[in-house]
Each structure stands twice: as C-alpha cells, then as structure tokens.
Amino acid sequence: ASTLGAAAAERGRYFGTAVAANRLGESDYVNTLNREFNSVTPENEMKWDALEPNQGSFNYGNADRIVSHARGRGMSVRGHTLVWHSQLPGWVNNLSGSNLRSATNNHINQVMGHWRGQIHSWDVVNEAFEENGTRRNSVFQRQLGNGYIEEAFRAARAADPNAKLCYNDYNTDGQNAKSNAVYALVQDFRNRGVPIDCVGFQSHFNSQSPVPSDYQQNLQRFANLGVDVQITELDIEGSGTAQANNYRRVVEACLAVSRCTGITVWGVTDKYSWRPNGTPLLFDGNYNKKPAYDAVLAALGGS
Ligand code: G3I
C-alpha cells in the first residue's frame, strides 16, 4: 500500500487526521486528506461552543460539512467532544446542579442523535483529570460531583448505542499519576458495567513530554481491561530523523497492541498545526511528505 490509510487498513487499523471545515476549500489540503487518510476528527467543529452556542439552539453546519465529506469517501468519523471544560459556551459555566445535569444530558442526546449511526467513536468525556490524578476542577466536577463521568457515558450509550464511547486525555501516554487515575476509572466502569468501549491517548509530544519509554506497555494495560485503545491527537515536535524515529515508535507501539484500533494525527499539514510555529505533523507547509511520513508508512508496512 502506498498511502497511510491503505497501509493501516492492511494492518486492521484506521489512520486519521483532525480536519478543519474552513480548509475544505483548499485543493492541496483536500487532495492530501482524500489520498492519505481514512478517518477524520473535526478539530473544533463538534465542541460544545461550536454546536450549541446558545442553550437549546444547535449549529451543525460546519461539522456536517466534515461528516459528509468523510462519509462520502468511505472515511470513518471520530466525534470530539461532548463533555469538556474547555471551548464551553459561557452559559454552561453559569448553570448549577440539576440545570447543568439536564443541559448536559440534552447536549449529549441532541448531538449524538443528530449523527446517530454515523460516528465510529465519540470522545464522551475529555481531559477530566489533573496531572496528579485528582479530578480537574471543572463546572461539571463542581456542580455534579464525581458521578458526572458515569452519567455522561450512560447518556451517551442510550443516545447512540452503536458508537464506541471513549474517555480521552493527554499526558496519559505513559504510566504516571494521571494515567493511573484514568486506569482506575476504566477498571471501575468495567467492574460495575458502566458503558465504556475505548480510551483515547492524545499523544501530543515535544521535548518536555517525549514519547514515553513505556508507551506500548501503558496502552496494553488499558487494553487488558477489555477496552479498545486509540491514539487520538498525535503530533510530535521536531524535524528530520529524530522526529521520524519518534513517529515510528508510536506506530510500532500501536501495532504491537491488538486492541489499538487506530491512529489519528492532529492535522494534515504543519501550516495549520495548533502549535504556533511548530512542525509536528507528517506533511510540511507545502504538503510535501516529511521523513516522519516515510517512517510512518514504512512502519505500517507500506511503501
Ligand atoms: O473560531 C474562532 C474565530 O472566529 C476567531 O476569529 C479566532 C481568533 O482567535 O479564533 C477562532 O477560534 C479558535 C479555534 O481554535 C478555531 O480556530 C480558538 O481561538 C482557538 O483557541 C482554538 O484552538 C483549538 C484548541 O483545541 C482550543 O482548546 C485548536 O484549534 C485545536 O487544535 C485544539 O485541540 C485540542 C483538542 O480539542 C483537545 N486536546 C488538545 C488539543 C490541542 O490543544
């Protein structure tokens, strides 16, 4: 296979990218997307502030454009994200107790219902833990307490029974206090029959947070709980051979874990990376393949 998506498919995985709706008019962007990737994640368009800026009024247009582009070409879609402290419209932060609970349930029902049957996996809850393993002090945590994650997953299962339901976070890629807390949550959910199907490892790497030496081992311990694992927002700062070697390690780790079902990179081209002035992706600003691209394709068994 000569593309990332086709090579990954031969290994029983998908290879995806984050996509921004406002780039879908750029031909180099779209050609690269269509040629190389077989899964997409809307980078911002399915976040709460984008979908429900005012309570009860939903804007699906930009996200719909991504979903129809993807599905029209046989790509799967990851939904990102339903319950997250960031990119929340102001009105959500002002709700208390039962009003927040019903607004959250309504958001999950409406959004998942809108695309029922069309989203492969949903990031139901994103970034709920601090680095030390305690719960992040979000409006959900303050108003709804520890049970809010479970409530969100139960609502999500009811809203779209065929979607895989994921917990997604960053700096959980190796074994540490934060990933231990996520592990305990998933273990508890599995023991008590709370619905959860997958754990997303964002995998934003740079010199301060490099690819951990126990990356594969950490993915495997989660898989051993009976959930799929996905690499959901991969990008790695750097360039040249060093960057390529780091990307290779990530792909090899996923391939070594049978329940690692796919890899998503957090953007098509360095030109539009969320990291200002960074070069963390597989294609440079002119859509040329970087050494990191070649390393990923080779690790997937393509050429
Ligand atoms: O849409 C507005 C636009 O109207 C306005 O003119 C412009 C001016 O700044 O801002 C635009 O919004 C920006 C948005 O991206 C869309 O481009 C926000 O300011 C900007 O903060 C936002 O950044 C996104 C970031 O999440 C916000 O938290 C990045 O694109 C996106 O890549 C990033 O993605 C997150 C994942 O969702 C969760 N994990 C971490 C990851 C990287 O931070």
Side-chain angles (χ1 to χ4, degrees), residues 285-298:
N286 297 313
Y287 297 92
N288 295 310
K289 296 170 179 173
K290 294 165 60 179
Y293 172 96
D294 297 328
V296 168
L297 184 64

Side-chain angles (χ1 to χ4, degrees), residues 10 41 47 63 84 99-100 104 109 116 120 124 135 171 180-181 212 220 249 254 269 275 298:
E10 288 185 355
T41 306
K47 293 170 181 176
W84 185 30
N99 289 334
L100 179 62
T104 303
N109 284 330
R116 190 178 292 124
H120 177 277
V124 178
R135 287 293 186 91
N171 287 351
N180 286 344
Q220 186 66 60
R249 283 195 45 219
C254 181
T269 161
R275 293 185 186 275

Side-chain angles (χ1 to χ4, degrees), residues 18 22 42-44 47 80-81 84 86-87 126-127 168 170 202 204 233 235 266 272-274:
N22 62 1
E43 187 172 356
N44 289 295
K47 293 170 181 176
H80 174 78
T81 176
W84 185 30
S86 182
Q87 288 174 286
N126 194 41
E127 303 176 1
N168 191 52
Y170 64 92
Q202 293 185 11
H204 293 291
E233 304 182 13
D235 55 13
W266 204 240
Y272 301 134
S273 168
W274 70 285

